[in-house]
Amino acid sequence: MLTADQIQIEDAARRFSREVLAPGAAAREKAQAIEPAVLSGLAEMGLLGMTVSPDWDGAGADYVSYALALMAVAEGDGAVSTMMSVHNAPFCAILERYGSDAQKEAVLKPAARGEFIGAFALTESHAGSDASALRTRAVLKGDRYVINGAKQFITSGKIARYVIVFAVTDPENPKRGITAFLVPTSSPGFSVSKLEHKLGQKASDTASLNFDDLEVPVSLRIGAEGEGYRIALSSLESGRIGISAQAVGMAQSALDAAIRYAGERRSFGKALLEHQAVSFRLVDAKTKLEAARQLVLSAARMKDAGVPCLDQACMAKLFASEVAEEVCSIAIQTFGGYGYVEDFPVERIYRDVRVCQIYEGTSDIQKIIIGRSLAA
């Protein structure tokens, strides 16, 4: 039930994933970096500004196409899909919706063309899911804001040229006193204080950022003072569609590898796939993964139709992230001992997919949000 354009985008992304991303995923993990050639390839295909309007040099694709492309990229390398996801939404999505024309001209256009990578800095060491507990402060002095504070677990914090930073401008009003800023990482007072050593997705850098008397002009404020909390929440739908899509993509890659292996490996005189215990396990994985895929695409279609879909995006993210871990575990079980070693990709994919239940809101947070609608 896809359009010709959607099929073309999915096919192109999958070719790039299979020919470029998958063969280099293990080396990328060891290097703990995404090589420039990959970033250039993503940019040339329009995958770094997918839903941005052509007026701002984006591809102007719909969210179904975006979800399909993310799934395909994640099949090749989950770390690359995370960088792609954050750059598209929330970074580009927030700038297109709330940025000034000058910000869009100077920053959004080159970002959508893929000339640099952007980051989104909301989380702090004591304020993860509770965004209203931020301690980073921004004080207006003349025509400039002075920002002091720190952010943690920031995707692409090391390689980003610009970061959307959320800081408190009115300490007396925790939620309505938060403001968003577009911060160049070349600014004096900006520093990367730490790079996290993670279980998975090692090629995608996750950084702690410090802001020490960092000055930004008023012209780099996004929206009005006090709109930061609303701006941050506005990215939830698209962000969670993105994470659920990448979870499906990674799990699909692990499942495909397991099915191929089960068809080739022989045990007790026949292929593993001919043993009902193995085939039934893979059938369950395929069925659950297809259900997750349809939840993702359903939320994306609602987003394209302009229908509020926070609940649907949360359900997709909740279900897809948890099913993805289960599917990857089944893939490892199918490989047996080989699934537990680095020689085969399923152990890396299993590690890469685990974080999908944590970032962009943990599974518990998704349940809290969905639960609020039960009494509505």
Side-chain angles (χ1 to χ4, degrees), residues 173-255:
N173 197 337
K175 289 187 179 180
R176 297 185 180 179
I178 297 173
T179 303
F181 299 92
L182 183 58
V183 175
T185 57
S186 59
S187 303
F190 176 92
S191 63
V192 175
S193 60
K194 179 185 178 183
L195 291 176
E196 302 294 344
H197 299 283
K198 304 173 295 183
L199 176 69
Q201 297 204 24
K202 296 180 181 182
S204 168
D205 72 87
T206 303
S208 294
L209 308 179
N210 280 351
F211 312 98
D212 299 308
D213 289 333
L214 186 151
E215 296 185 6
V216 293
V218 173
S219 62
L220 290 184
R221 185 185 69 211
I222 301 174
E225 269 200 16
E227 287 189 331
Y229 192 75
R230 180 169 67 89
I231 290 172
L233 294 182
S234 74
S235 68
L236 294 182
E237 290 179 352
S238 53
R240 287 167 184 173
I241 289 171
I243 300 306
S244 58
Q246 71 164 182
V248 168
M250 284 186 271
Q252 185 66 60
S253 183
L255 180 59

Side-chain angles (χ1 to χ4, degrees), residues 275-293:
H275 292 281
Q276 196 174 77
V278 175
S279 66
F280 276 17
R281 189 161 56 232
L282 293 173
V283 165
D284 286 343
K286 182 175 181 177
T287 301
K288 291 179 181 179
L289 189 56
E290 181 61 23
R293 186 190 316 278

Side-chain angles (χ1 to χ4, degrees), residues 44-249:
E44 288 171 9
M45 296 174 65
L47 297 179
L48 294 178
M50 283 202 69
T51 62
V52 176
S53 166
D55 293 341
W56 303 110
D57 290 355
D62 56 25
Y63 272 89
V64 169
S65 296
Y66 173 58
L68 293 169
L70 261 178
M71 289 179 195
V73 168
E75 287 180 27
D77 192 332
V80 174
S81 72
T82 293
M83 179 277 299
M84 171 183 161
S85 176
V86 172
H87 181 79
N88 273 280
F91 185 79
C92 286
I94 284 177
L95 277 183
E96 182 169 29
R97 183 172 180 182
Y98 294 101
S100 66
D101 285 349
Q103 291 168 356
K104 292 177 184 178
E105 189 68 37
V107 180
L108 178 58
K109 276 189 172 183
R113 294 193 297 265
E115 294 179 11
F116 66 84
I117 299 302
F120 174 85
L122 177 64
T123 300
E124 299 182 1
S125 59
H126 53 279
S129 298
D130 183 8
S132 64
L134 299 184
R135 293 179 183 171
T136 298
R137 297 286 187 261
V139 178
L140 181 62
K141 294 185 177 180
D143 62 350
R144 308 181 76 79
Y145 286 91
V146 179
I147 302 177
N148 283 282
K151 298 291 181 178
Q152 190 173 25
F153 301 139
I154 308 306
T155 297
S156 301
K158 177 185 177 182
I159 65 172
R161 186 182 297 178
Y162 286 88
V163 182
I164 295 177
V165 177
F166 295 85
V168 175
T169 48
D170 182 3
E172 302 302 317
N173 197 337
K175 289 187 179 180
R176 297 185 180 179
I178 297 173
T179 303
F181 299 92
L182 183 58
V183 175
T185 57
S186 59
S187 303
F190 176 92
S191 63
V192 175
S193 60
K194 179 185 178 183
L195 291 176
E196 302 294 344
H197 299 283
K198 304 173 295 183
L199 176 69
Q201 297 204 24
K202 296 180 181 182
S204 168
D205 72 87
T206 303
S208 294
L209 308 179
N210 280 351
F211 312 98
D212 299 308
D213 289 333
L214 186 151
E215 296 185 6
V216 293
V218 173
S219 62
L220 290 184
R221 185 185 69 211
I222 301 174
E225 269 200 16
E227 287 189 331
Y229 192 75
R230 180 169 67 89
I231 290 172
L233 294 182
S234 74
S235 68
L236 294 182
E237 290 179 352
S238 53
R240 287 167 184 173
I241 289 171
I243 300 306
S244 58
Q246 71 164 182
V248 168

